[in-house]
Amino acid sequence: GVVHFVRSLAGALATQRHLGIRLSAFCPQYVDTEMVRKGMRESAVFKKHVLEVSGGRLITIDEAGEIVYKMTEDRGLHGKALGVQPSVGPGGPALFTMRQAKVTPYYFQEEAEGSATRADNSSSSHQQSLPRTFKKVQVVRLSDNFRKAVEVVPCDFPADIPAGCVVMKRLWAGVNASDVNFSAGRYFGAKAAKAMLPFDAGFESVGIIVAKGQGVSLPIGMPVACMQYGAFSEYGVHKAKHMIAVPEARPEVVAMLTSGLTASIALEQAGMRSKQTVLVTAAAGGTGQFAVQLAKLAGNHVIATCGNDEKAKLLKSLGADHVVNYKREDLGQVLRKEYPEGVDLVYDGVGGKLYEAAVRNLSVGGKVIVIGMIGEYTKGWPRSKHEGINEMLLFKSASVEGFFLLHFARKFKQHLRKLTHLSRSGQLKIALDPVPFAGIGAVVPAVEHLHSGKSQGKVVVSFLDHLQSSL
């Protein structure tokens, strides 16, 4: 409605510039009105949506009115599009200006541009409204059995928030295949990891800034993503420079982090072109779904593997040209029969027999990019044994290339912008696993669900459960 109203006035304002009329667009998240609350009472789907985008807190009518009043007084805000994000911490709703005098979403800015009407830039740490303690998942013993490796422990907030740091209230955390590698100490080496015990688990999360230390310009209430260790916690204290501004703290954004970035950057590093035949293993998983769609968007023929009919249905909806259920069909036989010229590029996160079948069926000059081997993680990750692989690569001038996401941190923001644009424009669908996991106690079952082979799409854990009672 705001967009259409602004457009309807554009012609009139263009012909009356001598009057000095400037138009401001005020775009709050959900306001606490009877209409919104009625919708939440009558529709569980709508209620879930409101909780996701608001972080469990509606903007009050008084708060909305106060912001509009301040906006009219501050001439620096005239002619701008203003976004309002509710805060789950102190300070009331956060107001963002959009950098352009037109209605556009707040979108991955290098540094959030807080409104001059807010007192967010004080030196106070704003910690008075924080709870005394919070819960987090810690690795207390090294094991690739995640349940045996971790414990949920209480944690005290620091007496003072360090300068340059923020407190992030996590709303969603992502679950990844490599969570069990992390709990086994494989990211640091067994000896170093043992000396580090206990250490915090979890790779990725989205949430809202609820407090900050001195020298931080990011506003309270700002939605952010974080890719620092310790994501399986209700709150986190992180350096402000590590926060990634996001339009909304939604589970789909979590999916774009480790899973989406792995697919986007790995395919770029592999030199994917158009008009290739691309094979994606574990294609219905968190990262595989991105690889399938990015390969299709690049103009390729995509073969996707999965383990059941539901996943096959999902992959067809994502655009896969040929779906192979590896539990019913032999991938090697399918490739030899239907793709005699071979496969040009393989995106493999499984390893084992599927990896071997892929290598045996590469085209001349083909490439396998290895982003993981989930089939081996909970088996102690034994050394791979594939007889004759080198000879196969030699005779086809083919190659195998490894990819580890943390080596490409410099590319994160660029590729997040790309993925967000594709998602918002409808070119990229993001599938979330339909099984709900809520609260810090659900982290272990969520990790086990991912490794059960039953997950479909990105597995996420919600930390909204303690906020829902007020709504």
Side-chain angles (χ1 to χ4, degrees), residues 9 177 179 251 432:
L9 292 178
D179 285 322
L432 301 174

Side-chain angles (χ1 to χ4, degrees), residues 24-77:
S24 296
F26 175 66
C27 307
Q29 288 277 19
Y30 286 104
V31 176
D32 192 355
T33 63
E34 177 56 30
M35 182 175 69
V36 171
R37 286 186 173 269
K38 181 180 179 183
M40 294 174 68
R41 289 193 299 268
E42 295 179 353
S43 171
V45 174
F46 179 67
K47 180 177 180 179
K48 180 175 182 290
H49 168 70
V50 172
L51 288 170
E52 288 176 359
V53 302
S54 69
R57 183 189 186 281
L58 300 177
I59 297 172
T60 69
I61 293 176
D62 287 344
E63 287 171 336
E66 182 179 357
I67 291 174
V68 171
Y69 176 74
K70 290 180 177 179
M71 177 184 71
T72 60
E73 287 191 320
D74 187 347
R75 296 186 62 84
L77 295 177

Side-chain angles (χ1 to χ4, degrees), residues 301-350:
H301 179 91
V302 178
I303 310 163
T305 73
C306 66
N308 62 45
D309 292 339
E310 282 299 310
K311 294 181 181 182
K313 184 178 179 181
L314 169 65
L315 291 170
K316 281 294 186 181
S317 73
L318 298 180
D321 298 290
H322 189 152
V323 179
V324 178
N325 183 338
Y326 65 85
K327 291 186 177 180
R328 294 180 180 174
E329 302 176 271
D330 183 291
L331 177 62
Q333 290 182 6
V334 171
L335 294 177
R336 285 192 296 273
K337 179 180 178 181
E338 301 192 32
Y339 301 92
E341 298 298 317
V343 177
D344 301 309
L345 179 62
V346 179
Y347 183 84
D348 181 46
V350 177

Side-chain angles (χ1 to χ4, degrees), residues 121-198:
N121 295 320
S122 68
S123 60
S124 169
S125 64
H126 297 298
Q127 62 178 338
Q128 63 272 18
S129 296
L130 297 174
R132 293 181 180 179
T133 63
F134 62 94
K135 295 177 182 179
K136 63 182 180 179
V137 174
Q138 279 197 323
V139 178
V140 297
R141 59 189 67 86
L142 301 182
S143 173
D144 56 22
N145 182 320
F146 198 76
R147 182 174 291 274
K148 292 181 178 180
V150 305
E151 291 180 2
V152 175
V153 300
C155 183
D156 294 328
F157 274 102
D160 294 297
I161 301 169
C165 293
V166 300
V167 176
M168 174 187 182
K169 168 63 193 117
R170 303 190 205 278
L171 301 180
W172 300 90
V175 177
N176 294 279
S178 222
D179 285 322
V180 298
N181 291 326
F182 192 79
S183 67
R186 293 167 186 156
Y187 273 54
F188 313 108
K191 185 176 180 180
K194 189 173 183 180
M196 293 166 57
L197 290 172

